[in-house]
Amino acid sequence: RMSRHAQQLRDHDINPCVEETDASRRCMDDNNYNKDMCTAYFLKYKSCRKFWHDIMMQRKRNGVKPEMPSAEERKKMLETMG
């Protein structure tokens, strides 16, 4: 059984970067944990985290709840951005 924290990390409504996390982990597994081979995946993860963190802080400043948009709402936001 997964811990509550681990479950939250897998929850697409809480963690907007589940796919980037999985891709990084897969890359590490596939490349015998040679970080140099996975730089592109780490950068994608990092920019995903930064992007949604900035959105979250903006919503917090504007008093929007919840601060992290749901997975469905994030999908729509990304579609409107192109």
Side-chain angles (χ1 to χ4, degrees), residues 57-65 67:
M57 296 315 290
Q58 187 63 52
R59 286 169 66 106
K60 190 175 192 168
R61 275 192 296 277
N62 296 340
V64 178
K65 297 279 183 192
E67 288 158 8

Side-chain angles (χ1 to χ4, degrees), residues 12-63:
H12 287 267
D13 283 327
I14 295 171
N15 179 2
C17 302
V18 172
E19 288 167 31
E20 290 79 0
T21 303
D22 291 347
S24 295
R25 192 168 293 133
R26 246 189 329 275
C27 180
M28 290 292 281
D29 287 343
D30 293 347
N31 291 287
N32 206 20
Y33 293 85
N34 178 350
K35 288 182 182 170
D36 296 339
M37 302 292 286
C38 301
T39 307
Y41 292 99
F42 298 151
L43 289 173
K44 273 188 194 159
Y45 170 78
K46 202 172 171 181
S47 55
C48 177
R49 294 296 303 175
K50 182 185 180 342
F51 178 81
W52 290 112
H53 177 76
D54 292 348
I55 299 264
M56 210 168 79
M57 296 315 290
Q58 187 63 52
R59 286 169 66 106
K60 190 175 192 168
R61 275 192 296 277
N62 296 340

Side-chain angles (χ1 to χ4, degrees), residues 1-18 21-22 25:
R1 180 161 141 56
M2 277 198 288
S3 72
R4 196 163 159 270
H5 180 69
Q7 284 173 340
Q8 286 181 338
L9 291 178
R10 301 300 311 156
D11 184 336
H12 287 267
D13 283 327
I14 295 171
N15 179 2
C17 302
V18 172
T21 303
D22 291 347
R25 192 168 293 133

